[in-house]
Amino acid sequence: MKFYITTPIYYVNSEPHVGSAYTTIIADIIARYKRMMNYKVFFLTGTDEHGQKVFQAARAAGKDPQQFCDELAQKFEQLWEKLQITNDGFIRTTDPKHMAVVQYFVKKMLENGDVYKGVYQGWYCVPCESYWSEEELGPNHTCPSCGREVRFIEEENYFFRLSKYRDALLEHYRKHPEFVQPDFRRNEMIKILESGLKDLSITRTTFSWGVPMPDDPKHVIYVWVDALINYVSAIGYPTDPERFNEYWPADLHLIGKEINRFHSIIWPAMLMSVGLPLPKTVFAHGWLTVDGQKISKSLGNAIDPKYFVDKYGNDVLRFYLVREIVFGKDGDFSEKGLVNRLNSDLANDYGNLLHRTLAMLEKHFASSIPEPGPFEQEDESFVQQVLDKVERYLAQMDSYQLTDAIETVMAILTLANKYFDERKPWLLAKQGEMKKLGTVLYNVCETVKKVAIMFYPIMPNSSLEVLRRLGEETQPNAQHLRQWRTLRSGQKIIHGAPLFQKVELKSEQKVPQETVASQVQLLDINEFRKVDLRVAKVLSAERIKGSEKLLRLTIDLGELGTRQIVAGIAKYYEPEQLVGKCIVVVANLKPAKLMGVESQGMLLAAHDNDQVKLIIVDGGAAPGSKIS
């Protein structure tokens, strides 16, 4: 059996952060699970290196685009290595082999009558590399995906007859409900299809950093068309049909929800155009957020995953991301949440069970797995409940319900801890009931072994350590999940330090953020002019219930009226200190919600080590005055 899984390929306009690492970690968990279940897996990830956004980032860094891409692609590969990602392939869209496949693919679409030349007039978002119709734009002509300003462009383009495939796509959705997951993401795509599709501009002529259009090199192929084709170019299309046919169609495209339309509408239509089978499932997961906002370089809240790996270990980070954040939905990331999961789930429920069981084996059975005696009703009931939950775990993992699967494993640990406490092995030892004691300790060890196997895709290092301590010398064997008495009586165990050490987080620590391309990014003056900086007078200030960081400010912006903004300055200023002060705010920022409270702008402050100082305007400038 084969299993082909992909992540999106990541833009190299900036360094990777924990948001991009999340998708790759999830893909790695699924790939490890499938390998454990004896699938022949091909796991692909990589970098998206063409397009206007990458070209502009390279220029701002003062580097040749290829040099810029080479440096950042290496940083992605280095991070995946540190996170112990087991990808089988790493594709770069600047690879000449990939670029040749892109030209072949587009030429085939052209020969099939699905590509024609025309003039594009409309709106384009450079950061998202996305075209939008007038009806799709957000407030003040902003991108509906990222909220930033769009540009009206008019240029000669080649177009893909996307509209031609509307009915075929709807029929595919009807016949294959598993095609897009979760269900609510599939419903979003169906609504788009039902409202009708417009043909898609697939080339640009205003810059040259990309794959040239076949037979018309003044046109550069649209970066999203280029990027999507990586899923077939990486496995040998069209030059290695044997390898390609072994893995295609993809079993799972794992993506973030913001690029669902590209993967669930545009990509399958492109595949239909050239006559290739469609992927089996596109899974569009939610965003990681910090204080309710998507993790983003532009928002300044990008978190470096290496910090957490170095401080808590790779296994703990992986466990937290799947346990805390319901797979498929948005979830908030915090160090406090990670430490809570480490202390309660891992140190208490998992590590402590292993530790006290092995301590009793060391004391009463010469550090060996005991021979279990006759099972009593409590033992039989416990074993059956564990085996039932194992079946539930397998079904949940097979259907990508990763968070539910972890909850099932944690339920097994809860069951085992309860069984241990109710059977009172310390009392059995005192009473000399060695056969009963051997039964209890054997059943707990067998359960912990199954937990280690089930946790292996998520926490590979600790799982191998648990198996080592139980005297198991082989890799995790999924066949042992459905069997009992897989541990050999008499094999030696190793009792050591607790598997997970508890951590005391004395205060909310500031997590270091990554640098962007390791140097200052230069702004064009026209870009800077888009930021509307104004003087604002603080009319009132109050703490937001449930938050130690946030204050709600009501501000006067003169002719722009009054607004409220939410700022994370509660640790540095008392509310009454702020009333009457004239501060500097960004007045044209898209509204965002923090702790459920809408913020209609952002104040400016200086960060000096652990201190935050507001930028105060001297001289009594009138509220609403522009700053330039």
Side-chain angles (χ1 to χ4, degrees), residues 528 533 626-628:
F528 176 74
L533 297 177
K626 292 202 70 165
I627 294 175
S628 60

Side-chain angles (χ1 to χ4, degrees), residues 504-519:
E504 181 182 355
L505 197 63
K506 295 179 181 178
S507 61
E508 288 194 50
Q509 302 175 23
K510 185 177 180 182
V511 179
Q513 296 173 1
E514 296 177 284
T515 57
V516 182
S518 72
Q519 58 181 287

Side-chain angles (χ1 to χ4, degrees), residues 195-261:
S195 66
L197 296 177
K198 294 182 179 179
D199 291 349
L200 177 71
S201 170
I202 63 166
T203 62
R204 300 293 305 278
T205 58
T206 53
F207 61 94
S208 60
W209 183 242
V211 180
M213 184 71 180
D215 303 321
D216 197 350
K218 74 175 182 179
H219 286 261
V220 170
I221 294 170
Y222 178 36
V223 64
W224 265 107
V225 172
D226 171 6
L228 289 165
I229 294 170
N230 95 89
Y231 300 129
V232 294
S233 70
I235 54 171
Y237 179 81
T239 56
D240 189 350
E242 183 177 351
R243 181 165 180 256
F244 177 71
N245 292 329
E246 179 182 14
Y247 287 108
W248 192 260
D251 294 272
L252 179 62
H253 286 324
L254 188 62
I255 60 169
K257 65 181 182 180
E258 74 278 10
I259 56 175
N260 193 14
R261 181 172 64 102

Side-chain angles (χ1 to χ4, degrees), residues 270-284:
M270 289 168 57
L271 292 167
M272 288 178 177
S273 174
V274 299
L276 291 178
L278 273 54
K280 294 179 182 177
T281 298
V282 177
F283 196 110

Side-chain angles (χ1 to χ4, degrees), residues 545-556:
K545 187 176 180 181
S547 174
E548 298 178 357
K549 299 179 181 178
L550 301 179
L551 293 181
R552 183 205 325 252
L553 309 182
T554 302
I555 57 173
D556 177 10

Side-chain angles (χ1 to χ4, degrees), residues 294-444:
K294 181 189 175 187
I295 293 175
S296 165
K297 292 285 185 182
S298 60
L299 294 174
N301 63 354
I303 294 173
D304 184 354
K306 297 188 292 293
Y307 166 83
F308 291 96
V309 173
D310 291 339
K311 188 170 183 180
Y312 300 107
N314 196 36
D315 280 12
V316 174
L317 174 62
R318 290 165 67 100
F319 176 85
Y320 168 72
L321 287 173
V322 188
R323 175 77 164 121
E324 185 79 7
I325 296 158
V326 177
F327 183 51
K329 298 183 180 179
D330 293 348
D332 210 51
F333 187 99
S334 73
E335 186 170 10
K336 182 179 180 182
L338 182 147
V339 168
N340 287 340
R341 290 296 184 187
L342 167 59
N343 290 342
S344 62
D345 291 356
L346 297 181
N348 277 351
D349 296 346
Y350 188 17
N352 187 49
L353 177 65
L354 174 70
H355 193 74
R356 58 181 178 162
T357 302
L358 296 185
M360 295 200 75
L361 290 179
E362 182 181 59
K363 182 176 181 180
H364 300 290
F365 291 94
S367 295
S368 299
I369 298 292
E371 178 70 31
F375 277 23
E376 298 180 2
Q377 183 179 352
E378 295 93 332
D379 306 313
E380 295 281 3
S381 174
F382 169 71
V383 169
Q384 190 57 54
Q385 289 180 74
V386 171
L387 292 174
D388 288 345
K389 285 180 168 52
V390 165
E391 293 298 329
R392 185 187 305 171
Y393 161 87
L394 293 170
Q396 289 164 335
M397 289 294 289
D398 286 338
S399 57
Y400 313 129
Q401 299 174 46
L402 304 190
T403 307
D404 292 340
I406 282 192
E407 289 181 359
T408 297
V409 181
M410 294 308 303
I412 291 174
L413 285 169
T414 299
L415 191 68
N417 277 293
K418 182 181 178 184
Y419 172 74
F420 189 101
D421 292 340
E422 290 181 347
R423 296 294 280 156
K424 296 181 174 61
W426 59 91
L427 189 57
L428 294 174
K430 187 176 181 181
Q431 295 171 343
E433 297 275 6
M434 301 310 289
K435 287 188 177 180
K436 289 185 178 180
L437 176 62
T439 300
V440 171
L441 295 181
Y442 183 93
N443 286 340
V444 173

Side-chain angles (χ1 to χ4, degrees), residues 47-77:
T47 46
D48 186 359
E49 302 180 10
H50 287 137
Q52 189 172 3
K53 182 163 63 172
V54 172
F55 179 77
Q56 289 179 346
R59 186 172 63 179
K63 295 181 179 179
D64 171 77
Q66 189 62 61
Q67 176 196 0
F68 180 81
C69 291
D70 290 345
E71 292 173 358
L72 277 167
Q74 185 179 32
K75 291 184 178 182
F76 275 89
E77 291 193 85

